[in-house]
């Protein structure tokens, strides 16, 4: 059986509207971006980990290890408040395909979800391998009214991504959305894994859990 190979993409933008220098803030002595890299290195079948960032001195904040790529500083037009994750991913994946062999799927890890589970990540990845469509972790919400987030509906229940992990085929980044109602979901009921660091209070909660 052909071995599945993945590219992990970690977006890490310098500026943040709510929490200054968010991606290089530290928990237990590790920056959020380093925390994410270390987790990615634990995943199976990963060919490379690509950091898409506009932080020019990024190498001062992380430890460069085998399989970690920082091939360029992200272009300015992909680094402002209106830049979409899809455009950032397209830029990263197109560069990768021009320089390496094409992989079977893309894993998106966001630095703002620092509390992670290898077991749950492997479940999401295995779902992707089995069904060959976007697989992600979600949390249940009581109503589809959730500002700024596209919800997923399954059997009259509503969910939205908790940001922990997304796995999807390369061609998905050229479609309207990375995920949709047909995506395969893994429901995460853990309160702390559902923390998405946007504000200082979120960072304090994560630090409290991980100390």
């Amino acid at each position: 059986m052909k071995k599945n190979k993945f590219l992990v993409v970690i977006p890490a933008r310098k500026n943040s509207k709510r929490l200054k220098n968010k991606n290089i803030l530290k928990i237990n002595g590790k920056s959020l971006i380093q925390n994410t890299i270390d987790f990615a290195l634990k995943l199976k079948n990963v060919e490379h980990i690509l950091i898409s960032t506009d932080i020019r001195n990024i190498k001062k904040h992380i430890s460069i290890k085998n399989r970690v790529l920082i091939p360029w500083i992200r272009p300015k037009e992909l680094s402002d408040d209106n830049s979409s994750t899809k455009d950032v991913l397209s830029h990263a994946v197109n560069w990768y395909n021009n320089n390496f062999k094409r992989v079977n799927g893309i894993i998106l890890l966001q630095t703002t979800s620092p509390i992670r589970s290898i077991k749950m990540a492997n479940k999401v990845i295995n779902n992707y391998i089995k069904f060959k469509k976007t697989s992600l972790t979600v949390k249940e919400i009581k109503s589809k009214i959730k500002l700024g987030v596209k919800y997923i509906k399954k059997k009259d229940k509503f969910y939205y991504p908790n940001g922990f992990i997304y796995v999807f085929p390369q061609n998905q980044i050229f479609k309207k959305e990375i995920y949709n109602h047909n995506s395969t979901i893994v429901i995460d009921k853990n309160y702390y894994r559902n923390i998405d660091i946007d504000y200082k209070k979120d960072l304090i909660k994560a630090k409290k859990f991980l100390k």
Side-chain angles (χ1 to χ4, degrees):
M1 182 180 294
K2 185 179 178 181
K3 181 181 178 181
N4 286 276
K5 295 181 179 180
F6 296 94
L7 168 67
V8 175
V9 179
I10 302 174
R13 191 163 66 96
K14 177 174 64 175
N15 295 319
S16 172
K17 287 189 286 187
R18 304 181 184 94
L19 192 57
K20 188 177 179 180
N21 297 321
K22 177 168 62 178
N23 287 300
I24 58 175
L25 294 178
K26 292 184 177 181
I27 296 179
N28 287 350
K30 282 186 183 182
S31 64
L32 292 181
I33 188 170
Q34 184 70 60
N35 181 296
T36 310
I37 292 169
D38 290 348
F39 182 82
L41 287 166
K42 297 176 184 177
L43 299 176
K44 295 179 180 179
N45 302 334
V46 169
E47 285 289 285
H48 289 98
I49 299 159
L50 195 157
I51 314 298
S52 175
T53 184
D54 61 335
I55 303 172
R56 292 192 174 275
N57 61 345
I58 187 64
K59 292 181 182 180
K60 293 182 179 179
H61 303 284
I62 64 173
S63 172
I64 300 297
K65 301 176 182 179
N66 291 338
R67 295 187 288 141
V68 177
L69 305 172
I70 310 177
W72 25 253
I73 295 299
R74 191 196 297 178
K76 187 176 180 179
E77 63 270 20
L78 294 175
S79 303
D80 60 29
D81 291 340
N82 297 318
S83 302
S84 72
T85 300
K86 272 177 81 273
D87 289 341
V88 170
L89 288 168
S90 295
H91 175 259
V93 172
N94 282 333
W95 177 87
Y96 187 83
N97 286 341
N98 287 331
N99 290 273
F100 296 91
K101 291 182 179 180
R102 189 180 177 93
V103 291
N104 303 102
I106 308 299
I107 297 174
L108 169 62
L109 294 180
Q110 299 186 127
T111 62
T112 51
S113 299
I115 301 169
R116 303 177 172 97
S117 159
I118 283 289
K119 182 178 179 180
M120 183 158 286
N122 285 336
K123 187 174 182 179
V124 173
I125 292 169
N126 289 337
N127 279 346
Y128 170 78
I129 292 171
K130 181 178 180 180
F131 298 108
K132 293 296 186 293
K133 60 183 180 181
T134 297
S135 181
L136 66 155
T137 48
V138 298
K139 66 180 293 185
E140 185 175 350
I141 53 176
K142 294 180 180 179
S143 168
K144 65 181 180 181
I145 301 173
K146 184 70 180 178
L147 295 178
V149 180
K150 185 180 184 303
Y151 68 91
I152 297 172
K153 184 178 180 181
K154 299 279 188 182
K155 296 181 179 178
D156 297 323
K157 290 188 177 183
F158 300 99
Y159 305 90
Y160 74 89
N162 67 356
F164 166 22
I165 186 171
Y166 305 74
V167 187
F168 50 90
Q170 291 200 32
N171 62 1
Q172 194 68 38
I173 59 177
F174 303 111
K175 297 181 180 179
K176 186 177 180 180
E177 302 287 351
I178 293 174
Y179 64 91
N180 54 44
H181 297 300
N182 292 319
S183 297
T184 301
I185 63 172
V186 175
I187 302 168
D188 194 340
K189 295 182 179 181
N190 183 284
Y191 170 79
Y192 288 98
R193 279 199 300 270
N194 285 310
I195 292 175
D196 183 15
I197 297 179
D198 268 333
Y199 299 93
K200 188 174 181 180
K201 64 180 182 179
D202 303 320
L203 185 67
I204 292 170
K205 288 178 185 177
K207 284 183 174 181
K208 183 177 180 181
F209 178 79
L210 291 171
K211 71 178 180 179

